[in-house]
């Protein structure tokens, strides 16, 4: 299974490239490096390499208010959402994944129950029946139409994702609602629970800033 890497700095900042998201609720998942496995082991065990154990943190109370620059607040009494096998994928979707080249994705991407043809724009190498590869992905692309045991593995991962989402969606908001009216480009966010009931737009890079174990 994925393992946390050793971090040498107490504060870690991660930039997220510009993108557009359309969700009623958005969960920011932050992870560390994973242990490497061969493609065959990864598919057989359902533990393909990803950036690491993705955890979602929430807090029992605020200890500072949200600032004018849309900074997050620190939290205590952290509780994690268990992503289970869904943590093995940096993008896991039920209907499709599309990119306008060139993307740079570290980790596995997967669709289920959709077919692999619903992952578009990646110019895949489809020589393996169990997974596809792309120069845009450091990892593997898998779908419900790849050969066994991939479909069963993804069925479990999607179920785990839905369970985690249901759990996280019930967590208490700590950072206010619809920060930046959904326009997050240029902001620096710290650990906490962010809630949106509007479209999210990341037109320019955003930064997640926090400690080695912080997740957003």
């Amino acid at each position: 299974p994925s393992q946390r890497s050793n971090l040498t700095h107490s504060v870690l900042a991660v930039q997220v490239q510009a993108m557009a998201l359309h969700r009623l609720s958005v969960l920011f998942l932050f992870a560390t490096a994973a242990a490497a496995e061969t493609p065959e082991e990864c598919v057989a065990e359902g533990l393909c390499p990803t950036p690491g154990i993705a955890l979602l943190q929430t807090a029992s109370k605020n200890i500072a208010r949200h600032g004018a620059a849309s900074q997050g607040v620190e939290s205590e009494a952290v509780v994690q959402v268990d992503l289970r096998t869904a943590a093995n994928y940096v993008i896991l979707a039920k209907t499709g994944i599309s990119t306008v080249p060139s993307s740079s994705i570290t980790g596995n991407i997967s669709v289920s129950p959709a077919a692999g043809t619903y992952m578009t724009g990646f110019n895949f190498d489809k020589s393996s029946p169990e997974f596809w590869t792309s120069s845009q992905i450091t990892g593997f692309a898998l779908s419900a139409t790849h050969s066994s045991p991939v479909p069963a593995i993804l069925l479990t991962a999607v179920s785990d994702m839905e369970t985690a989402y249901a759990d996280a969606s019930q967590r208490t908001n700590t950072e206010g609602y619809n920060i930046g009216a959904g326009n997050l480009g240029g902001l620096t966010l710290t650990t906490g629970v962010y809630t949106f009931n509007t479209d999210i737009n990341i037109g320019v890079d955003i930064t997640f800033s926090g400690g080695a174990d912080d997740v957003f």
Side-chain angles (χ1 to χ4, degrees), residues 5 61 66 70 83 102 190 214-215:
S5 61
K61 68 175 184 178
H66 194 280
S70 295
L83 298 182
S102 292
T190 57
D214 287 342
V215 188

Side-chain angles (χ1 to χ4, degrees), residues 7-165:
L7 299 177
T8 58
H9 300 286
S10 59
V11 176
L12 189 65
V14 174
Q15 284 195 323
V16 177
Q17 299 298 314
M19 65 185 75
L21 304 174
H22 302 282
R23 298 278 185 180
L24 290 178
S25 297
V26 176
L27 309 181
F28 292 117
L29 307 178
F30 177 72
T32 53
E37 298 189 44
T38 66
E40 292 77 12
E41 291 173 340
C42 134
V43 172
E45 299 175 13
L47 297 172
C48 295
T50 71
I53 301 171
L55 304 173
L56 178 68
Q57 287 189 168
T58 124
S60 63
K61 68 175 184 178
N62 290 337
I63 55 175
R65 297 295 298 170
H66 194 280
S70 295
Q71 302 288 330
V73 299
E74 296 180 359
S75 61
E76 56 185 28
V78 173
V79 178
Q80 73 183 37
V81 172
D82 187 0
L83 298 182
R84 300 175 177 83
T85 65
N88 293 315
Y89 310 92
V90 294
I91 304 176
L92 177 60
K94 297 176 69 173
T95 57
I97 303 169
S98 181
T99 183
V100 178
S102 292
S103 294
S104 179
I105 300 171
T106 300
N108 304 308
I109 69 171
S110 301
V111 291
S112 178
T117 53
Y118 286 88
M119 295 185 289
T120 61
F122 292 98
N123 191 26
F124 288 120
D125 176 348
K126 301 180 181 181
S127 56
S128 170
E130 293 185 339
F131 55 85
W132 295 342
T133 59
S134 167
S135 61
Q136 301 180 58
I137 305 171
T138 303
F140 306 104
L142 306 103
S143 75
T145 49
H146 281 88
S147 62
S148 180
V150 173
I153 291 171
L154 294 183
L155 185 65
T156 299
V158 169
S159 177
D160 289 343
M161 173 182 68
E162 292 174 334
T163 298
Y165 184 87

